[in-house]
């Protein structure tokens, strides 16, 4: 049963990813991106990291997608419907295949510290403890970087408003 | 027992959950039908009217009549609408609304699935519906719908932040994100006592999340002519309404078991499912009556008031709540410290709301304006008065 679900989720991820690249309508691309990200969340559940799966839904399905959709819908997306394909399609395919090959090579060549066929469940509390005790300083630095980005975005937006 | 725990049928948990969901969807549909009747009756009573009276005793058959009317209505779609977005949007709003209930424990044994991270699940899934609003707004190819969709998405995403922050405060107190454990924690004292600020923030943010008045800015008739629903009719429109009411039930249930103790408080775990279900329903109904009451009492906010209230008032206060909770946990203070810090912050929330939201508005003295143009007798023109006086002398 789990295997069936894995294939369903994997197919969703791949089909969604292809949809993002191949569909002509950019809003549909955003929709298939949502499907793809939800598929990733499903695979997280199969790997028994429910916390990551839910955060994936909350952050990518919620916050990130609203940004993308806002940007797409507030700009004139309907006018660039036809011009999304370039002449560099074969080059892109080569680059994508090279990336795929390097990923596969990296996954198969690496010696993993634990037995990969066994799923080790990580309790939710351990993630929290690791984040806030063991790795508290990197966590704080990351949040500081985000804060700077936030303030920067506000300042840039304010300047643009004043220029008008 | 339709909503049986998976433990009863271990071999087929998927089948079990599917049956539970189907049964629940049917129950919810009827529940929503009568929620509309109840809303009309309550609001009518508050406005000195009778509400529906003609169909059946107390107008009880009104929702059935409404349902048949909606189902037999012509299903219209604008010619320029984007087919996929227009059709998909309904389901992208409807399905997350119902998915929330998978993790809700109705009694000690009645739940569709016991998810260890159920609170996070509920918040994550209920946050997905804005995709449907954006798509409906964009796909309808109508300016009002697009404006409504944008407003809906902006409002949902803004109020989700204080909602989640309030829940973080609760999670810090109870030390669990499992709704079931959280209910067990409220054995003797419900969390509304320890976290009144969290409760207030939840109450306000949940009204905004279900887009009910006074936060019905995305669907306001006078501003955006119904918002995202404007191009929808018949069954699709009723599915939007259905998911709106289902969302209301969901947040009422969430408030009931996070802050009011669910089925546990005040009778404990061992009173049997009958009384527990009754407790859950009564607590949920309290929230629903509150939502209706607020709807009948307050005028709609302006979008800028809505945004500044979320970002300048609710979020700073919820962050302060998290800070004080952390302080109490680290220094191992007694539980009363939660009540004191949270209670003081609640008072501050009420006090600051007026000042922060209304700051920057020009101070005008209160003006008395006649309700209608005809309510006041037109004053005679000075020239006419002078002429009349001249005629008299």
């Amino acid at each position: 049963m789990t295997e069936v679900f894995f294939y369903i989720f994997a197919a969703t991820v791949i089909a969604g990813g292809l949809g993002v690249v191949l569909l002509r309508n950019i809003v549909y691309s955003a929709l298939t991106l949502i499907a793809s990200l939800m598929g990733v969340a499903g695979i997280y559940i199969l790997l028994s990291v429910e916390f990551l799966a839910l955060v994936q839904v909350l952050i990518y399905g919620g916050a990130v997608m609203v940004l993308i959709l806002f940007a797409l819908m507030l700009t004139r997306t309907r006018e660039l419907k036809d011009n999304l394909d370039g002449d560099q399609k074969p080059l892109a395919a080569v680059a994508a295949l090279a990336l795929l090959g390097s990923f596969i090579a990296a996954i198969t060549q690496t010696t993993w510290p634990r037995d990969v066929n066994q799923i080790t469940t990580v309790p939710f509390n351990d993630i929290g403890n690791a984040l806030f005790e063991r790795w508290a300083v990197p966590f704080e630095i990351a949040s500081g970087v985000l804060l700077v980005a936030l303030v920067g975005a506000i300042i840039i937006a304010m300047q643009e408003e004043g220029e008008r | 027992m339709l909503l049986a725990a998976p433990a009863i049928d271990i071999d087929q948990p998927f089948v079990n959950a599917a049956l539970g969901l189907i049964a629940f969807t049917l129950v919810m549909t009827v529940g929503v039908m009568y929620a509309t009747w109840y809303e009309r009756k309550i609001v009518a009573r508050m406005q000195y009217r009778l509400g529906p009276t003609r169909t059946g005793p107390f107008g009880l058959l009104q929702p059935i009549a409404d349902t048949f009317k909606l189902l037999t209505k012509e299903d219209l779609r604008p010619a320029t609408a984007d087919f996929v977005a227009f059709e998909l949007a309904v389901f992208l709003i409807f399905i997350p609304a119902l998915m929330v209930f998978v993790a809700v424990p109705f009694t000690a044994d009645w739940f569709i699935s016991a998810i260890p991270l159920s609170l996070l699940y509920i918040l994550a899934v209920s946050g997905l519906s804005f995709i449907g609003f954006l798509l409906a707004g964009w796909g309808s190819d109508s300016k009002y719908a697009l404006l409504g969709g944008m407003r809906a998405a902006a409002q949902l995403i803004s109020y989700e932040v204080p909602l989640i922050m309030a829940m973080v405060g609760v999670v810090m107190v109870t030390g669990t994100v499992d709704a079931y454990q959280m209910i067990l924690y409220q054995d003797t004292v419900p969390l509304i006592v320890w976290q009144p600020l969290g409760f207030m923030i939840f109450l306000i943010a949940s009204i905004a999340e279900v887009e009910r008045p006074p936060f019905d800015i995305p669907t306001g008739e006078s501003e955006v002519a119904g918002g995202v629903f404007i191009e929808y009719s018949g069954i699709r429109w009723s599915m939007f309404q259905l998911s709106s009411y289902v969302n209301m039930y969901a947040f009422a249930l969430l408030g009931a078991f996070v802050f009011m103790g669910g089925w546990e408080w005040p009778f404990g775990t061992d009173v049997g499912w009958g009384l527990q279900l009754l407790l859950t329903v009564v607590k949920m109904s309290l929230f629903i009556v509150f939502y209706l009451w607020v709807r009948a009492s307050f005028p709609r906010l302006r979008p800028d008031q809505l945004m500044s209230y979320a970002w300048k008032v609710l979020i700073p206060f919820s962050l302060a709540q998290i800070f004080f909770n952390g302080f109490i946990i680290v220094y191992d203070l007694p539980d009363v410290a939660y009540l004191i810090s949270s209670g003081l912050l609640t008072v501050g929330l009420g006090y600051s709301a007026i000042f922060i939201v209304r700051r920057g508005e020009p101070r005008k003295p209160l003006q008395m304006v006649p309700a209608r143009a005809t309510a006041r007798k037109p004053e005679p023109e000075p020239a006419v008065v002078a002429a009349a006086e001249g005629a008299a002398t």
Side-chain angles (χ1 to χ4, degrees), chain B residues 97-374:
Chain B
L98 279 169
M99 270 170 73
V100 167
F101 290 94
V102 169
V104 171
F106 295 95
T107 74
D109 324 299
W110 283 25
F111 42 81
I112 295 171
S113 178
I115 303 173
L117 303 171
S118 43
L119 200 64
L120 193 62
Y121 169 85
I122 290 171
L123 292 174
V125 170
S126 70
L128 282 179
S129 60
F130 74 87
I131 298 173
F133 280 105
L134 273 180
L135 271 189
W138 179 81
S140 301
D141 198 26
S142 148
K143 279 206 171 69
Y144 288 125
L146 184 61
L147 275 176
M150 290 292 163
R151 284 177 166 199
Q155 176 173 333
L156 290 179
I157 214 82
S158 300
Y159 276 85
E160 189 147 314
V161 180
L163 190 75
I164 291 176
M165 295 287 188
M167 289 298 169
V168 168
V170 173
V171 167
M172 287 173 86
V173 175
T174 56
T176 174
V177 277
D178 188 350
Y180 200 91
Q181 299 296 324
M182 201 169 267
I183 292 170
L184 290 180
Y185 179 90
Q186 305 174 56
D187 197 357
T188 46
V189 185
L191 271 169
I192 182 174
V193 175
W194 300 136
Q195 296 278 283
L197 179 71
F199 177 73
M200 287 310 294
I201 291 173
F202 168 81
L203 211 53
I204 296 164
S206 65
I207 303 174
E209 284 282 310
V210 298
E211 294 176 5
R212 293 191 63 78
F215 294 101
D216 63 337
I217 290 164
T219 53
E221 283 86 359
S222 58
E223 295 161 22
V224 287
V228 287
F229 311 141
I230 185 171
E231 301 295 348
Y232 287 87
S233 72
I235 182 143
R236 274 166 237 289
W237 184 86
S238 33
M239 273 170 85
F240 272 120
Q241 285 316 95
L242 190 66
S243 38
S244 155
Y245 278 93
V246 168
N247 263 328
M248 186 171 82
Y249 274 115
F251 277 101
L253 267 174
L254 189 62
F257 70 71
V258 171
F259 288 103
M260 309 274 261
W263 37 261
E264 176 81 13
W265 182 79
F267 297 123
T269 320
D270 304 320
V271 290
W273 62 267
L275 194 56
Q276 285 178 349
L277 192 63
L278 188 72
L279 268 181
T280 309
V281 170
V282 165
K283 286 169 182 172
M284 184 183 83
S285 309
L286 283 178
F287 277 90
I288 288 178
V289 170
F290 176 78
Y291 292 152
L292 301 185
W293 198 343
V294 165
R295 180 211 145 153
S297 309
F298 290 106
R300 186 181 300 136
L301 293 171
R302 288 198 315 263
D304 63 314
Q305 288 172 333
L306 175 97
M307 285 297 155
S308 63
Y309 191 58
W311 292 97
K312 294 181 189 166
V313 182
L314 289 185
I315 293 176
F317 271 94
S318 53
L319 286 174
Q321 170 87 86
I322 290 172
F323 174 77
F324 281 113
N325 282 359
F327 197 80
I328 292 164
I329 289 170
V330 168
Y331 289 98
D332 221 4
L333 300 176
D335 277 356
V336 186
Y338 287 124
L339 175 61
I340 296 169
S341 68
S342 191
L344 286 177
L345 282 172
T346 312
V347 176
L349 175 74
Y351 188 72
S352 65
I354 305 160
F355 289 93
I356 295 178
V357 173
R358 304 200 67 182
R359 197 175 58 189
E361 286 184 9
R363 287 280 174 102
K364 270 191 241 165
L366 199 64
Q367 281 182 328
M368 300 298 277
V369 182
R372 292 196 196 89
T374 53

Side-chain angles (χ1 to χ4, degrees), chain A residues 1 5 25 27-28 31 34 38 50-52 54-55 57-58 61-63 65-67 69-70 72-74 77-78 81 124-125, chain B residues 14 80 82-85 88 92 117 120-121 123-125 127-128 130-131 134-135 138-139 141 146 150 153-154 157 160 164 177:
Chain A
M1 201 66 180
F5 273 93
N25 189 328
V27 174
Y28 294 172
L31 276 182
I34 297 175
M38 294 299 110
E50 290 90 354
F51 176 67
L52 267 189
L54 290 175
V55 168
V57 173
L58 194 68
M65 283 321 295
V66 85
L67 282 182
L69 283 174
F70 252 91
L72 292 183
M73 289 175 181
L74 287 176
T77 48
R78 288 189 186 203
K81 212 186 263 181
F124 170 60
N125 294 5
Chain B
F14 295 107
T80 53
D82 186 297
F83 179 77
V84 177
L88 201 62
L92 284 181
L117 303 171
L120 193 62
Y121 169 85
L123 292 174
V125 170
L128 282 179
F130 74 87
I131 298 173
L134 273 180
L135 271 189
W138 179 81
D141 198 26
L146 184 61
M150 290 292 163
I157 214 82
E160 189 147 314
I164 291 176
V177 277

Side-chain angles (χ1 to χ4, degrees), chain B residues 27-80:
Chain B
V27 170
M28 215 58 224
T29 312
V30 178
V32 165
M33 279 162 66
Y34 276 89
T36 61
W37 174 83
Y38 190 61
E39 172 166 16
R40 289 172 71 172
K41 276 291 188 191
I42 290 261
V43 174
R45 200 178 165 84
M46 285 175 186
Q47 297 172 347
Y48 237 69
R49 295 183 288 117
L50 286 174
T53 52
R54 296 303 178 98
T55 41
F58 309 108
L60 266 173
L61 297 176
Q62 186 67 41
I64 295 168
D66 285 343
T67 310
F68 275 101
K69 178 212 154 199
L70 283 171
L71 291 184
T72 51
K73 246 178 132 172
E74 190 184 357
D75 188 21
L76 296 167
R77 197 179 70 238
T80 53

